[in-house]
């Protein structure tokens, strides 16, 4: 589940195979369903005010249930019917992590959570300023707001060590955020804080030590909120920014995730 301002391409950057997270995991036997959330790329929304992060969590729940039941279109010509998932792990980045966490807390229907670059209310001043800027844009009457006032701002929010070609490609693909998501961010922050203790599935929390959007001294405290989880693992990737799958340490990030998945 992708963040604000990015899209499904974040997990599936085909033009840079070494940083194509989903494909690299597939080569190790892990199947990924990469989503474009409502209002992004292949899931267009004419009016960006007609959604919210709470609704996104409910939509994600519907996706999970369709995977378990096999109710979805499947393109493989050798199968008569779609395969049914026996285990589903939700994997989010940034705001996508908040959506995944809310789904797991409310519906208790997944086998694990991988939450990247999400520290709840422990946002840095840079992240708070960005949220205020987007909110101001949305309150001005538009229905979508840019994530990062400029391409340079977008890169500074997400990247620290990403190779220049990867950062350029990502920046060229960035999406504006639906204003319904923007104006529902504060309630989502509160809801995620209140419901984290209800998550029973195992949780992997991953942070970059140079993530501009998170107060670094708070990353160690994030695990304590998942008090009902079967297990909570926290990994900090040294030197990395927010966009862990696209940083130079992407191989290390994938290795951590694969080891954790192997224990589920």
């Amino acid at each position: 589940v992708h963040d604000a301002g990015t899209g499904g391409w974040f997990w599936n950057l085909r033009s840079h195979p070494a940083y194509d997270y989903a494909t690299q995991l597939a080569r190790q036997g892990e199947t990924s369903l990469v989503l474009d959330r409502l209002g992004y790329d292949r899931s267009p929304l004419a009016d960006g005010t007609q959604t919210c992060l709470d609704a996104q969590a409910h939509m994600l729940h519907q996706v999970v249930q369709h995977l378990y039941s096999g109710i979805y279109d499947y393109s493989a010509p050798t199968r008569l019917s779609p395969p049914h998932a026996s285990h589903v792990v939700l994997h989010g980045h940034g705001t996508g992590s908040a959506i995944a966490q809310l789904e797991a807390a409310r519906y208790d229907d997944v086998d694990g959570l991988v939450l990247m670059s999400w520290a709840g209310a422990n946002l840095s001043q840079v992240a708070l300023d960005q949220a205020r800027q987007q909110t101001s844009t949305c309150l001005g009457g538009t229905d979508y707001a840019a994530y990062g006032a400029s391409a340079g701002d977008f890169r500074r929010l997400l990247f620290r060590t990403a190779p220049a070609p990867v950062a350029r490609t990502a920046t060229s693909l960035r999406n504006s955020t639906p204003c319904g998501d923007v104006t529902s961010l504060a309630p989502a922050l509160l809801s995620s804080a209140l419901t984290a203790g209800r998550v029973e599935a195992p949780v992997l929390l991953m942070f970059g030590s140079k993530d501009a959007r998170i107060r670094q001294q708070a990353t160690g405290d994030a695990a304590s909120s998942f008090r009902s989880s079967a297990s909570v693992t926290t990994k900090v990737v040294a030197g990395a920014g927010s966009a862990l799958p696209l940083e130079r340490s992407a191989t290390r990030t994938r290795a951590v995730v694969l080891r954790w998945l192997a224990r589920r």
Side-chain angles (χ1 to χ4, degrees), residues 72-86:
Y72 57 91
D73 291 333
Y74 188 63
S75 61
T78 57
R79 295 187 65 104
L80 296 178
S81 60
H84 296 231
S86 58

Side-chain angles (χ1 to χ4, degrees), residues 175-221:
N175 285 291
S176 293
T177 308
C179 279
D181 285 4
V182 172
T183 56
S184 63
L185 178 59
L189 287 171
L190 177 61
S191 185
S192 65
L194 293 175
T195 61
R198 289 162 44 189
V199 174
E200 297 183 359
V203 178
L204 171 61
L205 298 168
M206 295 193 70
F207 305 97
S209 69
K210 300 297 183 180
D211 190 335
R213 304 189 301 178
I214 297 174
R215 288 192 292 113
Q216 290 301 313
Q217 65 272 25
T219 58
D221 300 330

Side-chain angles (χ1 to χ4, degrees), residues 2 4 16 42 47 49 61 68 78 91-92 121 135 153 190 215 230 241 257 260:
H2 64 80
H16 299 277
R42 294 170 297 179
D47 184 346
T49 66
H61 170 60
Y68 283 131
T78 57
H91 195 336
T135 300
D153 290 331
L190 177 61
R215 288 192 292 113
V257 174
W260 184 84

Side-chain angles (χ1 to χ4, degrees), residues 117 158-161 207-212 237 239-244 247:
S117 309
L158 289 182
F159 303 118
R160 182 67 179 235
T161 65
F207 305 97
S209 69
K210 300 297 183 180
D211 190 335
V237 181
S242 176
L244 292 172
E247 293 283 89

